[in-house]
Amino acid sequence: MAIATRPDIRPANPRFSSGPCAKRPGWTLEALSGALLGRSHRAKDPKAKLAEVIDRSKAILGMPADWRLGIVPASDTGAVEMALWSLLGARGVDILAWESFSKDWATDVTKQLKLADARVIPAGYGKLPDLAQVDPHRDVVFVWNGTTSGVRLANADFIRADREGLAICDATSAAFAMELPWDKLDVVTWSWQKVLGGEAAHGMLALSPRAVARLESHKPSWPMPKIFRMTKDGKINEGIFRGETINTPSMLCVEDAIDGLRWAESVGGLKGLVARSEANLAAIARWVDRTPWAAFLAEDPATRSCTSICLKIVAPWFTALDADGQAAAAKKLASFLEKEGVALDAAAYRDAPPGLRIWGGATVETADIEALLPWLDFAFAQVEAEFKKKAA
């Protein structure tokens, strides 16, 4: 229930942004002291650092040994674009679109690549598309976790083991916080700035043997910028997947990524990271169960994200407002939390329904989530009083 009394306890770390996300607990600038600054990324030692990011990532995630993993430019967006522009066009493609970024990929496929045989399978915020429509004879593009809707896939049962098409998965807010079924996937992308709290601008692109075979057998009909090219003379450029990046990476960011991966190992690897994220979701779920004014945007509990935890406001006075009024009230709520210094960047994504988005990835301490929740009630009480006064 909303409360009018200011809480006594504040989160030790008020950073609940969904990207870039909170640094790992205990992080300081000293963690970057080993960065090979002023060095060529093609020199032996810097290249070894890049390879370390690849090797540690594969090990923590349990990626099959025959998969390739490379560091690519432009964060997760760059990784997804590389996959779409390099791999699509050999057969028809289905795009599952249920939040902002998956809708962006649908726009790329239909309006930029202009593939004639492309089918968008949509769903509104809070829901998943009809997964039964996915055709195993076609490629399929999807996000594992809807960063802007808080809706994730419960499983990959809709992807058949004997599929003919490729399964291309944007896992940027899922990798390191959720189990990924590698046998059901062919391309997986993510960025450093999400679950492990790394710095932005670098992406990761993982390819299965089936994806590599497509790269080597299919030549896109459109021009390919250098920054997207993964093959040379019809064969995959293996150097990309050994740390020989296409363009110049930041060795400062590389050092930070290594620090995050070492921390991940120290908390129990993937199992520990998943447990930390799920504990954060559970804390918010307990609060939602006793809070009449808030609810999860995800309609099915099985699809609630444990990273980008999206909340909607269901109080009657709020739902009675028009769209502009709801947006204004939600903005005031997020602004109040920021002014109090208890939750930074907690507003819903700009294209999502008005509400709150609380990052619950592994670098966020459950104690900080629990300290934040009374502040949500307090902030809501202030906004409610203001709007009811205006309406009187």
Side-chain angles (χ1 to χ4, degrees):
M1 180 176 294
I3 56 175
T5 304
R6 185 181 300 272
D8 295 326
I9 300 174
R10 295 170 176 268
N13 185 354
R15 294 169 178 82
F16 296 103
S17 166
S18 290
C21 301
K23 311 298 288 184
R24 54 103 173 152
W27 183 93
T28 67
L29 284 171
E30 181 61 27
L32 308 181
S33 61
L36 299 178
L37 305 182
R39 295 288 311 277
S40 168
H41 62 293
R42 303 194 187 283
K44 179 181 177 181
D45 291 343
K47 193 159 69 173
K49 292 266 191 180
L50 290 160
E52 183 177 352
V53 172
I54 293 170
D55 294 341
R56 288 182 184 271
S57 298
K58 290 186 71 173
I60 292 170
L61 292 171
M63 191 179 298
D66 58 357
W67 276 58
R68 272 88 160 179
L69 177 62
I71 299 168
V72 299
S75 193
D76 178 66
T77 299
V80 174
E81 298 283 14
M82 286 179 72
L84 299 184
W85 285 69
S86 299
L87 295 166
L88 295 185
R91 59 178 62 233
V93 58
D94 292 336
I95 309 104
L96 304 178
W98 72 84
E99 50 85 58
S100 300
F101 291 103
S102 50
K103 291 176 181 177
D104 287 342
W105 309 145
T107 297
D108 275 4
V109 173
T110 59
K111 296 185 178 180
Q112 303 303 321
L113 294 177
K114 299 180 180 179
L115 295 184
D117 191 7
R119 183 174 58 152
V120 178
I121 305 174
Y125 278 90
K127 302 178 181 179
L128 284 175
D130 180 3
L131 303 178
Q133 292 188 43
V134 174
D135 186 339
H137 302 291
R138 301 162 65 83
D139 295 333
V140 59
V141 176
F142 57 97
V143 299
W144 189 271
N145 180 78
T147 309
T148 67
S149 70
V151 176
R152 63 173 160 177
L153 292 169
N155 54 60
D157 292 349
F158 68 98
I159 301 174
R160 282 174 37 177
D162 62 348
R163 64 191 178 280
E164 296 178 15
L166 297 179
I168 301 174
C169 175
D170 172 359
T172 194
S173 56
F176 297 103
M178 305 173 196
E179 295 277 358
L180 296 172
W182 297 101
D183 60 322
K184 292 292 189 75
L185 306 174
D186 296 295
V187 178
V188 179
T189 69
W190 67 90
S191 62
W192 294 351
Q193 70 205 46
K194 295 293 186 182
V195 176
L196 296 187
E199 292 304 298
H202 300 76
M204 302 296 286
L205 175 63
L207 302 174
S208 74
R210 298 180 74 247
V212 172
R214 171 74 67 83
L215 275 175
E216 295 182 338
S217 64
H218 168 65
K219 184 176 181 180
S221 61
W222 44 80
M224 288 288 290
K226 175 185 176 181
I227 210 164
F228 284 180
R229 294 177 207 154
M230 290 185 278
T231 59
K232 187 176 182 180
D233 299 326
K235 294 293 182 181
I236 190 168
N237 182 351
E238 296 285 3
I240 296 173
F241 307 95
R242 294 194 296 259
E244 299 171 10
T245 54
I246 294 174
N247 71 333
T248 306
S250 162
M251 296 309 298
L252 194 66
C253 293
V254 169
E255 194 68 23
D256 191 54
I258 292 172
D259 176 74
L261 290 163
R262 289 173 176 166
W263 172 78
E265 293 162 354
S266 76
V267 298
L270 183 60
K271 184 177 180 180
L273 296 169
V274 170
R276 290 175 63 88
S277 300
E278 292 291 350
N280 290 335
L281 172 61
I284 292 180
R286 291 191 294 270
W287 173 80
V288 168
D289 284 345
R290 63 176 186 267
T291 302
W293 64 266
F296 286 101
L297 188 56
E299 296 181 359
D300 180 355
T303 69
R304 291 174 185 165
S305 171
C306 63
T307 55
S308 53
I309 303 170
C310 296
L311 302 172
K312 60 183 177 180
I313 301 170
V314 295
W317 71 265
F318 179 88
T319 58
L321 298 172
D322 60 18
D324 289 342
Q326 290 185 10
K331 184 177 180 180
K332 280 186 175 293
L333 180 59
S335 296
F336 183 92
L337 295 168
E338 184 153 345
K339 288 177 182 176
E340 289 286 345
V342 295
L344 307 178
D345 310 320
Y349 189 72
R350 60 180 180 267
D351 295 335
L356 296 172
R357 181 171 59 157
I358 310 298
W359 182 255
T363 58
V364 174
E365 299 278 29
T366 303
D368 285 334
I369 293 280
E370 291 172 336
L372 169 65
L373 297 174
W375 282 96
L376 300 186
D377 286 319
F378 178 66
F380 182 78
Q382 313 313 306
V383 175
E384 178 182 43
E386 178 181 340
F387 272 74
K388 284 187 173 180
K389 183 177 180 180
K390 286 181 181 178

